[in-house]
Each structure stands twice: as structure tokens, then as C-alpha cells.
Amino acid sequence: MQGRTGSSTVGAREAAIDSSRTLRAARGSRLATAGAGVPAVTAVAVLGGLGFHGLFLARAAFRVDGLQTFSLFDDAMISMTYARNLAEGNGLVWMAGEAPIEGYTNLLWTLVMALPHLAGLPDRLTALPIQILGAVLLAGTGLVVAQLARRLATLAVTPALAALATVLCFPLVFWTLRGLEVGLVAFFLATACLLALRLLEADTRRDRVLLCAVLAAAVLTRTDAVAPLAVVLGFLFLARGAARRAAWAGGLTLAATLAAHTGFRLLYYGSALPNTYTLKVAGHPLAERLARGFPALLELALATLWVPLALAAALLLSRRFRLRPAEWLLAGIVAAAMAYSVYVGGDVWEFAGFANRFVSVALPLLFLLALLGVEALLLAFAGARAQAPAALAAGLALLVASHAAPVRDWWTNGGLHVQDDQILVRQGLAIRAATPETARIAVVWAGAIPYFSRRPAIDLLGKSDPVIAGLAPRGEFVPGHDKWDIEYSVGRLEPDLIALGWRLPPADLERIRALGYEKVAQYYVRRGAPVDPRPLRAAWR
């Protein structure tokens, strides 16, 4: 008797699941044909995210000499220097008048950064349009992810939660609003997913062209975007039928774009790869990179991503490892982004306590999978009336569990290096006041100081110096921060002033002094150099 009761219960549950899937498929078909607009609740979620973005930007702004000033993460300010030189007619170079070196890895984003310079904004304001554009990209990504959710979700609240999870995803928000290209890559990845699903439903010329444009723009933003984009193309190719035509078109577009970019690099920079690739990969065998990258990813998963990963695993288990094709697409992109992070050895800022730049681009898709996992659990264990409120509560809990620690740190200290970036701006302005235009400076922080000082700079860590990039690494593997040569950068190139802001080994500091440099505040000034020490002493505080 009990066996028959249990069997009937299981049968009823399976029937409910089948019915739900049928309704979901019908809803997806209606949306695909009708092109329904953005529901009010999703719009409210995105507007709420924009409010948070405004608060984030307001807290990062600061005053210098009574004037409102904006700056970006120091690596982003390197790209801003390239962009300003391009806008001022000096070419796509870090230092005007010097040999072109590709010290950036975000061509399209750097070209976008040229726009506020072409508009004639002063240096203290050029970062603001880039930050505002970042907020727009985050909102756009949230809307795209909501569209993905509307094709996959059962509950009406899930698309709004997916949008909210995207626009409030702290790692994505941080890297984007601090001026890096992360938000643009995330937008392209989400859009490529949406276009792939639309092409699976109906192969149209319009969507094929859009997909090709997105693929080209994504790899021009970052060449390594090819890893998750290959998953999109593989998904379309395996779908067979008409979708394969889109896969071939996308693959050819991707190959042609990479070939054209490589040709530009060879003609303009004399190298098929960016200097930063040589800096971060040369001399570091794969085993060494994996030995750093895998523990870093594992620590991240245990610290802030264990909840969404667990819910995504719940989705997989509830489907008995038979996910729908679209869900495999999302999972494949997330896996590709994480695998790439492991492959390159992670990022230098793994200590930040939240996802690095390589993983953050795929987090909106991971959170969507997690929300689908919530739906699967509720479908199995909750009554129909309780599902929507429970999904809302679970979605909010997902956000809190994933972001509580980094948001608390941001609220307490302003965020990773935000205060340092403000100090660097003041240092750059002090160096400008303390030196003539012809003075040469050497820097470790190669972004804000050269940008705001407007002085010819020497990159001690080699992002824009092929000699340093090609050296053997020194000490522990830290991507982009384990190669330097004082004899070359200081002894041979003879900067007038050195701004370290970073702990060199005592032997290197002694060698700097032996080469004729005296310490002034936190700087080293070459004896006899035309440097006024008074502005320098006021800058480092």
C-alpha cells in the first residue's frame, strides 16, 4: 500500500515537472515571436542597481585643490594614457615620441577611452564618462541576462532576480566602475549567449550578423575572450541544422578578426603578441601557473562563490546530469572563464577577497544557473503558492551570501586600492609641479602617476618595456609583478625621479642609492636633477 502511494506521489511530481516544462517552452516560444518588452519588476531591479552604481562612483570621487576629481584603477589608467596620446595625435603609444609598445590588452576599450579626450575634457574629469559608460554596460548586461532567464525560467520572478544579481554582482561592478574592460566583455558574452539561443530557435540573417559583430568586438576588447566565445560557437555547431551556418559564420569572423588584429600588432608594434603576454607568461611554465591558479580559484569558490556553485550543482543533480542545451551553454562559458583563470595563474589581486577579472565576466551566467537551481529545488519540495516568495527570498539570500564580505570591505575602506589611486593622482600632480616637462620619471604604479604628471615615464615592472618583459622572473610567481632590473631601468635609463610605492628588496634600494639617488619623502631623486622637493614632500599622505 505504501509502495503504491509513494509511486503515485512520484508520478504526480513528475507529471507536474513535465507540465511545468511544457508551459515554460510555450512561454519561451511566445517571447521569441512577440518580443515582449522589459517587465516593470526587471526595470526596477536594474534601476536599483544603477542607484548602487551611483553611490559607488560618488564614494570613489575626491577633491584635489578644491576641484572634483575622478580616477580609475591603476591598470585602467595605463590604457587611459594610451588613449590620450592617440587623441592628441601621438599614436597608440604609452609615451609620446617613443617606440610603440603594446602595454595594454584591451584595444577596443582603449579606443573608447580616447573619446573623452577627443571631447577636450580636463584630465581630472576624463575618467567619469568611462565610469558612467561602465554603469550603462552593467545595466545592459542585466537586461540581457533577464532575457536569457525568460527563455529558461519557470517562475515569473526569476528574470528580475537574474537582472538584480547581475547589476549588483560586486566583483563585476567593482572592476567595471573602476574603469576596466570587464563590464564590456561580460556584456558581449551575455549577448552572444542570447543570440545563440535565438539562432537555435530561428536562423535569421539579422541575428547571424549581430552574433558576428559581437564576436569580433569581444576579441578586439580582449583577445582571451576567445576561450568562452569558443563555447558559444561549439554550442551552435553541435546543434546542427541551420544553427551550424551561424557557427561557421561566427568562426570565420572570429578567425578573421584575430588575424587582422595580429597583422596590426606586427605592423605597428613589431610583435604578434602584446608585451603584457610576454611579461606574464614568458619564463613561467604551465605547471607553475597552474600551481598558483588552481588554489586561487578554489579559495575563491570556498570564500564567496560556494552558494551559486552549490545551487548550479543542485540544478545538475536535479536533472540527473541531463541539462537543457541552453543550460549546458551557460555552464560551459562559466567553466571556460574559470579554466582560463587557472591557466594564466590567476590575477595579481587574488588577495582582494572577490572574483578576479577573468572570472567576473562569467558571473552573471553563473548566478542565472544558480537561480535555475533554486527553481529546481522549489519545484521538487515546495508547493505552487510558496514557490515565488521562496524564490525571491532565496535569490536575495544568494546575493547576500556571495557579496556580504566584499561589500562590507568596500563600505569600510572604499574598495581595493581606491584610496591608493587617489594618492597616486596627488603624486602625479606633485611630480608635475616639481619637475620640468623634459624630466623623466620611473614608476611601479604605471597608470595614474604618468597620466596626471604628463612626464615621460619608465615602467620598472615592464608592462610597456620589452626589455623587462623578456627577463627571467625573480622570486615568487606574481603575474606581471615579478620582473625588474634596477641596473637597466635606473642605471642605464637614468630617470630624474623614481616613484616606487612598492617594496623592492633591500639590495635594490641600496643599488639605487649607489647610482646617485637621494630619498625625498617616498621618492628617489637623482643628484643634480631639476626637481623641486617641496611639492613632493606634501604628496604622499
Side-chain angles (χ1 to χ4, degrees), residues 41-224:
V41 66
T42 300
V44 170
V46 172
L47 288 174
L50 287 173
F52 173 63
H53 304 161
L55 176 62
F56 187 102
L57 296 183
R59 296 190 76 227
F62 56 103
R63 287 186 173 274
V64 178
D65 297 329
L67 298 175
Q68 195 75 4
T69 303
F70 300 86
S71 186
L72 306 174
F73 202 78
D74 202 60
D75 274 30
M77 292 306 298
I78 295 175
S79 297
M80 287 285 276
T81 303
Y82 276 88
R84 186 177 63 192
N85 277 323
L86 178 64
E88 293 180 351
N90 298 312
L92 197 55
V93 297
W94 188 49
M95 290 295 125
E98 297 188 0
I101 301 296
E102 188 179 2
Y104 59 88
T105 51
N106 51 1
L107 174 61
L108 183 59
W109 190 239
T110 300
L111 296 178
V112 169
M113 285 177 159
L115 297 178
H117 297 94
L118 288 171
L121 292 179
D123 292 347
R124 66 184 181 87
L125 295 180
T126 51
L128 181 58
I130 302 303
Q131 293 174 309
I132 293 174
L133 176 59
V136 172
L137 287 170
L138 290 169
T141 306
L143 293 175
V144 171
V145 173
Q147 286 292 318
L148 287 169
R150 294 176 71 190
R151 281 173 160 76
L152 299 173
T154 301
L155 300 176
V157 72
T158 301
L161 286 173
L164 188 66
T166 298
V167 295
L168 294 183
C169 176
F170 184 81
L172 184 61
V173 169
F174 178 86
W175 297 119
T176 301
L177 297 187
R178 294 303 295 147
L180 294 161
E181 68 285 348
V182 174
L184 185 58
V185 176
F187 173 76
F188 285 143
L189 284 183
T191 303
C193 284
L194 180 60
L195 290 170
L197 296 186
R198 283 167 42 171
L199 285 164
L200 201 62
E201 296 166 358
D203 180 35
T204 66
R205 185 173 181 274
R206 174 178 176 272
D207 282 348
R208 283 201 308 273
V209 171
L210 285 175
L211 178 64
C212 290
V214 167
L215 294 174
V219 294
L220 286 176
T221 304
R222 279 196 70 91
T223 303
D224 50 20

Side-chain angles (χ1 to χ4, degrees), residues 214-367:
V214 167
L215 294 174
V219 294
L220 286 176
T221 304
R222 279 196 70 91
T223 303
D224 50 20
V226 71
L229 291 176
V231 175
V232 177
L233 293 177
F235 167 80
L236 289 171
F237 187 82
L238 292 175
R240 300 181 181 181
R244 278 197 173 179
R245 191 185 330 179
W248 281 111
L252 290 173
T253 299
L254 208 60
T257 304
L258 291 172
H261 193 186
T262 302
F264 166 74
R265 282 179 167 138
L266 287 169
L267 289 173
Y268 196 80
Y269 294 113
S271 174
L273 294 169
N275 191 64
T276 49
Y277 176 88
T278 305
L279 176 70
K280 296 181 179 182
V281 176
H284 296 293
L286 178 61
E288 183 180 30
R289 302 199 305 272
L290 297 180
R292 186 181 189 274
F294 183 75
L297 180 64
L298 181 61
E299 184 177 352
L300 170 66
L302 295 176
T304 62
L305 294 185
W306 65 273
V307 173
L309 288 171
L311 289 171
L315 175 67
L316 185 65
L317 294 174
S318 70
R319 301 279 173 79
R320 299 176 182 177
F321 294 88
R322 293 195 294 267
L323 296 180
R324 291 173 291 173
E327 292 163 344
W328 279 121
L329 172 62
L330 301 182
I333 290 176
V334 173
M338 291 184 171
Y340 180 78
S341 180
V342 171
Y343 169 76
V344 297
D347 208 348
V348 66
W349 300 288
E350 296 294 350
F351 60 85
F354 52 85
N356 65 29
R357 298 171 292 173
F358 310 124
V359 174
S360 292
V361 297
L363 288 184
L365 306 182
L366 173 61
F367 280 105

